[in-house]
Amino acid sequence: MSTKPEGATPPTRTLTERRKAATQLDIARAAAELFTERGPDGTTAEDIALRAGVALRTFYRYFRSKQDAVAPLLAGGGDRWRELLAATEPGAGLPAALERSIAASLTPADAAAEEGLRWTRGLLRAATEDPALRAVWYRVNQESEERLREVVAGLAGPDADPLEVRLAAAAATDAIRIALESWAETDAPADGAGAPAELAVRCLRELMGGMRLLNP
């Protein structure tokens, strides 16, 4: 029997699901490019569909609005983070596992990862003037927090208090959210001092001091 926490191995997606995800990501990147160039107010769903090379009806098959189109791009980092956390070896300790997974997921390992952070920065800057885009960002974080609870519960063990598990998931999610929002307000690099990884670990340590489950 595996000693990994439940949910540690993500289910294998079908070819249709992979194609759908790829199309959604293409649309998300097109939306992010246009929002950066023109701002959300200067961008239409038709513009995004044209840039992504899909029909407008395809756009609306996947997304309800132009702002909603960037959700896959904003959610990608959280998906990678939860996968890293779920792969933690048993007995590693939840505080250390959270710090390591947060730092690893927010430290760009290649040009593509650094580009993803730049897209996030641009979208968060645009969101300051666009309530609908802010709502998408908050929704993405809420959904990530809900998925994180299962991973945290598996690492914390069967005797963990459900309330503390929920608080830990909320604290970790907010640590990343606040770090990315703070970083987006600056011109700090994607790696090193003032970067998302450093800020998120700092936020997590500040938040976890009074929580038993997260107190090392």
Side-chain angles (χ1 to χ4, degrees):
M1 180 179 295
S2 172
T3 55
K4 292 284 187 185
E6 184 179 352
T9 303
T12 302
R13 293 189 294 182
T14 66
L15 178 59
T16 299
E17 289 171 334
R18 292 198 299 273
R19 286 175 175 168
K20 177 181 176 180
T23 300
Q24 289 176 320
L25 193 56
D26 286 343
I27 295 172
R29 288 185 178 127
E33 288 174 0
L34 289 166
F35 287 173
T36 300
E37 293 170 12
R38 310 175 187 177
D41 286 344
T43 302
T44 66
E46 290 87 347
D47 294 332
I48 296 169
L50 182 63
R51 178 69 65 92
V54 301
L56 184 59
R57 65 179 179 275
T58 301
F59 175 93
Y60 281 116
R61 185 182 307 145
Y62 294 127
F63 302 109
R64 295 169 295 178
S65 68
K66 61 185 180 182
Q67 288 90 348
D68 192 45
V70 300
L73 203 59
L74 293 173
D79 294 340
R80 289 190 297 274
W81 168 45
R82 289 191 305 275
E83 288 177 8
L84 286 169
L85 182 61
T88 300
E89 291 297 328
L94 184 57
L98 282 169
E99 281 198 19
R100 283 197 298 269
S101 61
I102 285 174
S105 65
L106 291 176
T107 300
D110 51 34
E114 188 166 350
E115 181 185 44
L117 283 174
R118 287 199 300 270
W119 284 130
T120 298
R121 170 183 260 161
L123 290 170
L124 290 179
R125 288 177 173 178
T128 61
E129 302 296 331
D130 192 296
L133 189 54
R134 283 201 304 277
V136 172
W137 170 240
Y138 293 142
R139 190 191 80 221
V140 164
N141 279 274
Q142 180 62 37
E143 291 171 352
S144 181
E145 178 186 323
E146 291 170 359
R147 295 187 183 107
L148 182 62
R149 287 182 204 166
E150 181 181 353
V151 181
V152 171
L155 292 171
D159 297 328
D161 184 334
L163 178 61
E164 292 190 5
V165 168
R166 186 168 184 172
L167 282 170
T173 302
D174 277 347
I176 291 181
R177 178 183 62 80
I178 293 168
L180 286 169
E181 290 173 354
S182 299
W183 175 70
E185 294 171 354
T186 73
D187 293 320
D191 195 7
E198 181 193 57
L199 292 174
V201 169
R202 177 184 169 190
C203 287
L204 181 66
R205 289 175 178 173
E206 292 286 344
L207 288 169
M208 73 184 187
M211 298 173 61
R212 288 184 301 172
L213 189 60
L214 292 183
N215 196 323

